[in-house]
Amino acid sequence: MESKNGEAMVLPRSHKPRAKAAAVPRPRDAGRTKAAILRAARDEFCAAGFNGARVDAIAARAKANKRLLYHYFGNKEALYSAVLLDAYQEIRRGERELKISQYDPVEAVDRIIRFTFRHFLANPWFPRLLSVENLQDAKFVRRIENLDDIRSPIVGELKEIIARGHASGVFRTDVDPMQLYISIISLCYFYVSNMKTLSVVFGRDLGEFALIQEREAQAVQMVLDYLRTRRT
């Protein structure tokens, strides 16, 4: 372009036409998307129950396209089953990582109880999810193809721990490992699942660190005292 005196005119930088940048498609991270959908579904099922949960709400929580949700998981029932299985597998991985057989009987039981209590405490959604499934009469748990995926290895390990404890003169032997494990779960589960209502009833914040520590210590002591008690 020329000026009035015939010299070439240089346009200011801001006036130069800009080429449109080509849109660069973002690569899809299937693993991350599926994990986000699972977390969102878990939160929605825990908050609204199975019947009250909505696929639209899950997709919104996950910030994911609803079509992707159906693509990865199928339907609402299949997604709920995936959430349930993932929750069970998570705690079972933690139990296996304890490698509890390497410890003496007393310490082994101590570690089992503390792990269980802390897992519920760190994942308060887990007791809520279990409550949702119990309201379904365990319908979806029954459908899990490989039930070994959700069975706790702790029950078998407790049998061996009790035997070692008896051989060393520490534990009684008339203990059903399954019943003992249920007792351990109960001591840990109830405090976490009912923390809000119990705090109101007793007028104390059971979420306080000192009270949580006290509860964990008492759970350990109660189980160990039972195991040490001799039948008359």
Side-chain angles (χ1 to χ4, degrees), residues 42-43 45-47 87 90-91 116-132 188-196 207 212:
R42 181 193 73 196
D43 293 343
F45 286 124
C46 288
E90 182 179 342
I91 189 171
T116 305
F117 183 73
R118 293 174 188 182
H119 184 84
F120 286 138
L121 197 64
N123 303 281
W125 55 265
F126 188 40
R128 289 197 292 272
L129 184 64
L130 294 180
S131 296
V132 170
C188 302
Y189 179 103
F190 186 83
Y191 188 88
V192 175
S193 65
N194 293 273
M195 185 181 290
K196 299 299 183 182
I212 288 173

Side-chain angles (χ1 to χ4, degrees), residues 186-232:
S186 301
L187 287 169
C188 302
Y189 179 103
F190 186 83
Y191 188 88
V192 175
S193 65
N194 293 273
M195 185 181 290
K196 299 299 183 182
T197 52
L198 290 173
S199 294
V200 173
V201 170
F202 293 113
R204 301 182 68 184
D205 181 7
L206 298 188
E208 290 181 0
F209 184 65
L211 290 177
I212 288 173
Q213 282 189 310
E214 182 180 331
R215 180 58 192 170
E216 181 181 80
Q218 186 168 108
V220 171
Q221 193 63 52
M222 289 177 71
V223 174
L224 289 176
D225 283 352
Y226 164 70
L227 288 172
R228 289 166 172 154
T229 303
R230 301 292 181 182
R231 291 191 68 179
T232 56

Side-chain angles (χ1 to χ4, degrees), residues 72-158:
Y72 289 133
F73 295 99
N75 56 26
K76 176 180 166 181
E77 290 195 356
L79 178 55
Y80 174 76
S81 295
V83 167
L84 196 62
L85 178 59
D86 184 67
Y88 271 111
Q89 288 176 331
E90 182 179 342
I91 189 171
R92 299 312 175 222
R93 282 194 298 270
E95 289 175 337
R96 284 190 289 271
E97 288 170 4
L98 288 175
K99 300 187 185 304
I100 216 67
S101 61
Q102 65 182 304
Y103 302 105
D104 68 73
V106 171
E107 185 175 357
V109 171
D110 183 293
R111 285 175 177 266
I112 289 170
I113 298 167
R114 293 184 192 276
F115 165 81
T116 305
F117 183 73
R118 293 174 188 182
H119 184 84
F120 286 138
L121 197 64
N123 303 281
W125 55 265
F126 188 40
R128 289 197 292 272
L129 184 64
L130 294 180
S131 296
V132 170
E133 178 59 10
N134 275 288
L135 288 173
Q136 303 300 314
D137 294 324
K139 177 172 68 175
F140 292 91
V141 169
R142 297 178 201 276
R143 296 178 183 175
I144 293 175
E145 292 183 3
N146 186 3
L147 287 175
D148 286 339
D149 285 342
I150 67 170
R151 290 194 177 109
S152 175
I154 296 295
V155 176
E157 291 172 327
L158 279 173

